[in-house]
Amino acid sequence: MEQRIVDFIAALRAAGVRVSIAESADAFRAVNHIGVLERGEFKSALRATLVKDAKDTPTFESLFPLFFGSGGPPLFNPTGDLTPEEQQMLMDALRALANDLRRLMEMLMQGREPSPQEMQRAGRQVGLQYANRPFQKEWFAKRMQRQMGLEQLDEALQELMEMLAAMGMERETRERLEEAARGNAEALEERVEQFAGENIARKAMEEKQEPSEADLMQRPFSALSENEARALRDMVRRMAAQLRSRASLRYKKGKRGALDAKRTIRANQRYGGVPIELRLKTKRLKPKLVLICDVSTSVRYCSEFMLRLIYELQDQVSKARSFIFIDDIKEITSYFDAGRPDTAVEAVLNDHQPGYYNTNLGNSLDTLTHDHLDAIDHRTTLIFIGDGRNNFSDPRADLVDQLKRRARRVIWLSPESPYLWGTGDSDMYAYQPFCDAIHEVANMQQLADAVDRLLG
């Protein structure tokens, strides 16, 4: 019960009710004093300690039955008054029903509550685990009731009563059984609604909880909720500052000239190996980048965060040009010339929504080599961001080979694990021979590490 009260308080907070730690402690003290046997007093104790504003009362009233039940009657077992012969008739008639209806009718005729496992299985079958809005409760409850066969109750009862009549059961007994089954069906519907509402409240509560930064960094892009994606966007600027500090430190070392041990040893052979003349490494040049980003639905988050990171680090890059593609390629560099990275990325994604057209990198590469080949020269690091899936179109790996010959290096950032390469419409194995490096970037930590290596 204590854990249930804790979950109830968390659900109130998730719904916008302000409940302090002191008020939570008051609630537990009140429950310890009053107990849970008297439902009305128990509810009044929680309301008095947890609700301080009248406008929060409807929220409390809607969530309370989801966590502590509505006080409805339990399922009733009507077979206690049957004679052994009548019980045998009922068992025989139930066994004659189809499998899907037999399970339901056994539950209703024996007054058996559904087990938590049965409720969870019915919930999973209708996708309840993805519901997180209170208004979805009735819709999912109806779907679960349909999954359990409650929509076929009239048909099943009629079939069962006809079989019992054929076996010789008296009419009065049959009517009593039917009435009890219908009463149990109403109680079962109430249980299902309560189960759906409680699960939705728990899901909303979990999504409302602020994840730690460490968790967010490891969370796969494909599993981010909208709240988590928003929190991750807020972290990008701080992350860019950290990467900038590391890159600046490396740049200063390069500018000052770090010791080149091999060249120093070679230069001092004539002095018997005594390092009289030092040789320093030449200073590092800032990279020139061209980004080609897949912004289809499956890769959109990865491309978004990559663009945000790179353009937050513009001072570490000598020049950057960016292109996006779904079925064809478009240059988006001008967006970043006109505004800050966060507003530019938002505008790019708003202006280029994924539609019903298929991803086609082969066609996009054809346009790039035809219209924008001047963007790539011997100083350019060419970066592809995508999963290499072409919907079974020609991947045009020959054009990647052509671009590699012009560029300094080709880097591919893929949100997909190498285990998935070559499956379905994946053409990653066709592109792999022309890449200097391929990094898996399924989460923010992997993406930050890849950018750090890029600037190193």
Side-chain angles (χ1 to χ4, degrees), residues 176-220:
R176 194 169 66 247
L177 284 175
E178 182 175 353
E179 182 182 359
R182 291 192 183 280
N184 284 343
E186 291 178 5
L188 180 58
E189 288 178 356
E190 192 172 336
R191 299 290 189 283
V192 171
E193 286 186 14
Q194 181 178 326
F195 179 82
E198 182 178 341
N199 275 269
I200 290 172
R202 287 182 191 277
K203 180 75 174 175
M205 175 186 69
E206 291 170 0
E207 292 192 353
K208 194 76 174 181
Q209 291 175 343
E210 295 291 338
S212 67
E213 289 193 1
D215 288 341
L216 274 181
M217 291 293 289
Q218 300 294 337
R219 185 71 57 90

Side-chain angles (χ1 to χ4, degrees), residues 227-358:
N227 285 341
E228 291 168 344
R230 194 178 303 117
L232 208 50
R233 291 185 190 105
D234 294 337
M235 290 171 54
V236 166
R237 195 174 295 178
R238 296 201 305 276
M239 197 181 311
Q242 294 171 2
L243 293 174
R244 183 182 293 109
S245 298
R246 290 186 211 167
S248 296
L249 187 59
R250 287 193 292 261
Y251 178 70
K252 285 178 182 176
K253 286 182 179 177
K255 189 174 182 180
R256 188 170 57 242
L259 179 67
D260 188 331
K262 291 181 180 178
R263 289 180 58 215
T264 299
I265 291 171
R266 283 198 299 270
N268 288 278
Q269 291 296 318
R270 53 184 168 171
Y271 304 119
V274 178
I276 296 176
E277 298 178 8
L278 299 182
R279 293 290 185 271
L280 303 178
K281 292 180 180 177
T282 56
K283 69 178 182 180
R284 183 180 66 90
L285 293 176
K286 292 181 179 179
K288 178 182 175 184
L289 304 181
V290 167
L291 289 87
I292 300 177
C293 306
D294 183 349
V295 290
S296 61
T297 304
S298 59
V299 195
R300 204 169 178 82
Y301 271 134
C302 181
S303 297
E304 173 193 343
F305 287 118
M306 181 65 187
L307 286 169
R308 284 177 187 271
L309 259 182
I310 287 296
Y311 279 94
E312 287 287 352
L313 293 165
Q314 280 187 88
D315 55 334
Q316 300 300 314
V317 177
S318 67
K319 187 177 181 181
R321 288 182 68 175
S322 300
F323 301 85
I324 59 170
F325 72 92
I326 297 181
D327 61 333
D328 202 357
I329 204 163
K330 294 176 183 174
E331 183 165 9
I332 56 168
T333 309
S334 59
Y335 284 86
F336 295 92
D337 296 336
R340 280 202 44 77
D342 49 353
T343 56
V345 169
E346 190 174 340
V348 167
L349 297 180
N350 284 336
D351 293 347
H352 302 87
Q353 297 285 344
Y356 295 101
Y357 32 86
N358 292 327

Side-chain angles (χ1 to χ4, degrees), residues 21 36 47 56-58 74 77 94 127-128 152 162 173 179 244 255 357 362 369 376-377 414 428 442 454:
I21 295 176
V36 298
R47 184 170 50 216
D56 294 329
T57 301
N77 184 357
L94 287 172
L128 180 62
Q152 304 173 48
E162 288 175 354
T173 305
E179 182 182 359
R244 183 182 293 109
K255 189 174 182 180
Y357 32 86
T369 53
I376 300 168
D377 59 26
S414 171
M428 279 305 297
L454 189 66

Side-chain angles (χ1 to χ4, degrees), residues 87-116:
Q87 289 188 9
Q88 188 59 47
M89 289 180 195
L90 179 60
M91 296 301 295
D92 292 341
L94 287 172
R95 276 196 288 270
L97 289 174
N99 282 336
D100 51 342
L101 291 178
R102 185 173 62 203
R103 192 177 299 111
L104 172 67
M105 294 309 296
E106 286 176 348
M107 191 183 299
L108 298 181
M109 285 299 175
Q110 297 169 359
R112 181 176 66 80
E113 300 275 355
S115 67

Side-chain angles (χ1 to χ4, degrees), residues 27-38:
F28 276 101
R29 277 196 291 272
V31 171
N32 285 336
H33 182 70
I34 292 175
V36 298
L37 296 179
E38 291 295 332

